């Protein structure tokens, strides 16, 4: 039986995308205390954990690996391709001396990496943020998708305790990696490719989904997760004034890993709340709708922000800049809705339908060949 939809997670996905948007808005319209908005970049962490959870939750036994890969391509690539074409005029110039710091000279070789989602394997910012700067995360996602059938098969052999123990081991490995980067800043650990470094987030999502599919009951109300995540971010902001204290520095240096844990617990709690039919503000239809647009929103938000930045420049810091946030949010949501309805949904529907028809034709051909080559049937009737 197919697991039920978890609409609250779709609503949460919108807030993760909005957090990334707010983080990047500080480049054009800084607010007093904008440092707090820098933690919006961890919306990407939420996406990675959620991706592992959702793919595992929605996986159907018997689906061929090739079908899984095609469906993921159909889901992410068409919108990425169009968003990349829209981003190039904003972030690239044929002039060798571009006036704006975010504009790069056209390099066909580097741009080609963006079209095939390989840019995220480099730590060089010129390559990592090439094409559409937000799309480096798609390199990670493509890597995760490639490994999902294998990793999911491993977790599929485990029950609740085994899945949670393996999740705990992955979290411990993430902390150990962070310690290694801090202790050996010049080592290969600090330059490891991001798809490999961020894989732990995706695997944790797979693990908690498998634990829930195996019967794990999450006894935490989502509201406590929201408050806990808010308190964690507040602490990381406030604790800056106590830098140099060992315990404070420990938590600040491992902030990424604590946020991974917070994301994982929140996703599990919200999913369980939906499963048990409890009320959830995240299932409010506008939030769910925005969540459905969130992938397109993520792809276009940087292009919209920097296109305007080229025209108006950086605004003086002040609360009046909230008007820019509102205005650009409206424009970006409108652009995301257009990308979703004109490209994302119809292309995914067409590509999946084409693949399904192809598989059906192959199945019918195989069946007809089997009927022709099966010995005995026609001859037995004639001999009798």
């Amino acid at each position: 039986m197919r697991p039920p939809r978890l609409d609250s997670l779709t609503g949460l996905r919108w807030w993760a995308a909005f957090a990334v948007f707010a983080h990047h808005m500080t480049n054009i319209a800084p607010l007093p205390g904008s440092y707090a908005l820098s933690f919006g970049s961890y919306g990407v962490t939420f996406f990675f954990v959620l991706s592992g959870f959702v793919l595992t939750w929605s996986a159907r036994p018997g689906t061929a690996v090739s079908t899984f890969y095609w469906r993921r391509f159909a889901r992410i690539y068409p919108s990425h391709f169009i968003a990349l074409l829209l981003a190039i005029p904003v972030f690239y110039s044929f002039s060798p001396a571009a006036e704006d710091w975010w504009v790069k000279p056209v390099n066909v070789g580097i741009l080609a990496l963006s079209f095939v989602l390989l840019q995220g394997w480099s730590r060089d910012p010129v390559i990592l943020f090439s094409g559409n700067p937000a799309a480096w995360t798609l390199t990670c996602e493509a890597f995760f998708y490639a490994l999902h059938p294998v990793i999911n098969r491993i977790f599929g052999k485990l029950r609740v305790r085994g899945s949670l123990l393996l999740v705990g081991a992955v979290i411990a490995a993430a902390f150990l990696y962070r310690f290694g980067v801090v202790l050996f800043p010049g080592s290969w650990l600090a330059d490891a490719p991001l798809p490999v470094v961020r894989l732990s987030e995706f695997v944790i999502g797979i693990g908690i989904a498998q634990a829930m599919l195996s019967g794990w009951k999450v006894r935490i109300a989502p509201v406590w997760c929201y408050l806990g995540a808010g308190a964690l971010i507040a602490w990381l902001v406030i604790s800056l004034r106590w830098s140099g204290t060992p315990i404070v520095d420990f938590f600040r240096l491992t902030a990424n890993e604590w946020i991974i844990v917070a994301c994982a617990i929140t996703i599990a709690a919200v999913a369980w709340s939906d499963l048990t039919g409890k009320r959830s503000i995240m299932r409010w239809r506008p939030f769910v709708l925005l969540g459905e647009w969130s992938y397109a929103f993520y792809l276009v938000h940087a292009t919209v922000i920097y296109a305007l930045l080229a025209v108006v420049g950086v605004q003086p810091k002040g609360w009046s800049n909230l008007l820019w946030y509102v205005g650009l949010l409206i424009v970006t949501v409108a652009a995301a809705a257009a990308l979703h309805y004109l490209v994302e949904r119809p292309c995914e529907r067409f590509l999946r339908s084409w693949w399904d028809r192809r598989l059906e034709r192959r199945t019918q051909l195989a069946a007809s060949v089997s009927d022709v080559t099966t010995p005995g049937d026609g001859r037995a009737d004639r001999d009798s």
Side-chain angles (χ1 to χ4, degrees), residues 182 235 239-240 242-255:
V182 172
W235 160 251
S239 65
L240 183 63
W242 297 302
S243 292
T245 306
I247 188 65
V248 171
D249 288 347
F250 167 77
F251 278 104
R252 294 189 62 81
L253 291 171
T254 56

Side-chain angles (χ1 to χ4, degrees), residues 199-222:
L199 180 61
S200 60
E201 298 161 29
F202 182 74
V203 174
I204 290 167
I206 294 175
I208 59 176
Q210 186 57 50
M212 293 187 67
L213 288 170
S214 299
W216 182 35
K217 297 177 175 59
V218 186
R219 308 292 190 183
I220 305 174

Side-chain angles (χ1 to χ4, degrees), residues 18 30 43 72-73 113 122 125 127 141 148 173 200 218 220 238 259-261 279 290 305 320 378:
F18 175 76
R72 298 323 300 161
F73 172 82
L113 295 176
S122 173
I127 299 175
E141 289 286 1
H148 182 266
S200 60
V218 186
I220 305 174
I238 296 171
I259 289 174
I260 293 173
V261 173
R279 297 181 63 183
L290 288 168
I305 290 172
S320 61

